[in-house]
Amino acid sequence: MMNPLMTGAVCAALAIASSANAQFLYVAESGQDRVVALNAFDSSVVNANFLDIAAAAASVGYTGTTTPIEAMDVGNEIWVTDQNADRVWRFNQDGTFAGQYGVAPTNGQGLLNNGRGFEVVGNTAYFAQGSDASGIGGQGESITTMDITTGTLTGSFIEGVTADTSYNDVLAVNGELYVSDGDSGFDAIERWSTAGGFLGFFAQSVDDTTDFDQPQQIAQRANGDILLAGFSLPAGVYGFAADGTPQGIVSGMDQGPRGVVELADGSIMYTGGIDVEIDGTVVQTGSGLSWRFLTATTVPAPGALAAFGVLGVFARRRRA
């Protein structure tokens, strides 16, 4: 059963908050081009349209398709990757639009190309890109880097071991970057240095029929184990010990998960099509929805939220 929508007063509390304690989840939802804020403790909706991607696009005159994939705190802003607009939408922490990065100054076209999940280490953002064609900035299938202080694209790298790549997500783990690669017939989690050096594979799919296929978001559990959303059959959330030992499907069997995160009680939340689920229980659903990646966040001003009963919110941030 879908959890009820909280009142606008809670949404307003998010906008005026200023310190960090209470935790929530950003969930990109491309059916209505938005980022939803969920209460990470009870999975209820805190703000159904916290980041309005459609309105942001309209404000800069972009009329093409928008498909938000992942939202993440970057400094004092929230960034959202867009798979079809080929850019990063930037928002202030109160949800108001702040601008865009990765856009050509001459014609306003996106410089990224099929950007999906991303990670930030220091002043560098690492974007997983999955398009065969090169973007305007010269990046095709690659991990593309950006200076977060200026929004300038600074380079890209690709492993070159397999015939093809289709990168979906990047996660910082123990000083390395783990990258999910949905290459047809060679699905894997790759290991990279932050300088762009290929370090090998953390996990490789045995094949596309008995092991994970089309890997999407990667998350790290509190005990150091790794979770991987395997979108295509045999679909499910796959687990791996910290040393890469496979644990098989640990949640979300046959649900076509795209996003995944571990909650503080050890349960696993994942997105799949029109549903958001926790270990098989549907907590959000609706016709025409398309849920994408999940990111835990610590939002400001727990005192401002106390009256709404959400101070006990807990979630482990997916970033190491």
Side-chain angles (χ1 to χ4, degrees), residues 30 33 53 65-70 81-85 89 115 292:
S30 60
D33 295 326
I53 306 302
T65 302
T66 54
T67 306
I69 299 296
E70 181 170 26
T81 50
D82 194 309
Q83 185 174 27
N84 279 302
W89 303 110
R292 301 294 181 146

Side-chain angles (χ1 to χ4, degrees), residues 43-127:
S43 65
S44 60
V45 173
V46 176
N47 192 330
N49 202 33
F50 182 47
L51 306 180
D52 190 334
I53 306 302
S59 73
V60 297
Y62 175 77
T63 59
T65 302
T66 54
T67 306
I69 299 296
E70 181 170 26
M72 189 192 308
D73 296 322
V74 179
N76 293 321
E77 296 182 342
I78 306 166
W79 288 15
V80 184
T81 50
D82 194 309
Q83 185 174 27
N84 279 302
D86 296 332
R87 68 196 68 201
V88 176
W89 303 110
R90 298 163 49 223
F91 293 84
N92 297 308
Q93 290 184 336
D94 64 0
T96 56
F97 183 53
Q100 56 185 337
Y101 276 157
V103 179
T106 54
N107 55 18
Q109 287 186 273
L111 294 173
L112 298 173
N113 199 352
N114 203 344
R116 300 168 180 175
F118 72 113
E119 178 64 290
V120 175
V121 179
N123 287 330
T124 301
Y126 299 85
F127 296 95

Side-chain angles (χ1 to χ4, degrees), residues 70-219:
E70 181 170 26
M72 189 192 308
D73 296 322
V74 179
N76 293 321
E77 296 182 342
I78 306 166
W79 288 15
V80 184
T81 50
D82 194 309
Q83 185 174 27
N84 279 302
D86 296 332
R87 68 196 68 201
V88 176
W89 303 110
R90 298 163 49 223
F91 293 84
N92 297 308
Q93 290 184 336
D94 64 0
T96 56
F97 183 53
Q100 56 185 337
Y101 276 157
V103 179
T106 54
N107 55 18
Q109 287 186 273
L111 294 173
L112 298 173
N113 199 352
N114 203 344
R116 300 168 180 175
F118 72 113
E119 178 64 290
V120 175
V121 179
N123 287 330
T124 301
Y126 299 85
F127 296 95
Q129 296 199 128
S131 178
D132 286 322
S134 293
I136 297 172
Q139 296 81 21
E141 293 174 331
S142 65
I143 303 303
T144 296
T145 56
M146 176 185 289
D147 184 331
I148 66 171
T149 65
T150 63
T152 303
L153 296 180
T154 54
S156 62
F157 48 87
I158 189 170
E159 48 93 353
V161 174
T162 60
D164 195 12
T165 55
S166 184
Y167 292 138
N168 286 305
D169 195 24
V170 186
L171 176 68
V173 180
N174 300 327
E176 298 180 0
L177 300 175
Y178 284 13
V179 179
S180 58
D181 182 359
D183 170 32
S184 179
F186 204 86
D187 302 279
I189 299 176
E190 300 175 359
R191 297 171 48 234
W192 289 85
S193 73
T194 55
F198 181 60
L199 303 176
F201 296 95
F202 173 77
Q204 292 179 267
S205 179
V206 175
D207 53 49
D208 288 343
T209 57
T210 63
D211 205 350
F212 66 86
D213 189 16
Q214 282 301 313
Q216 303 283 308
Q217 189 172 21
I218 314 170

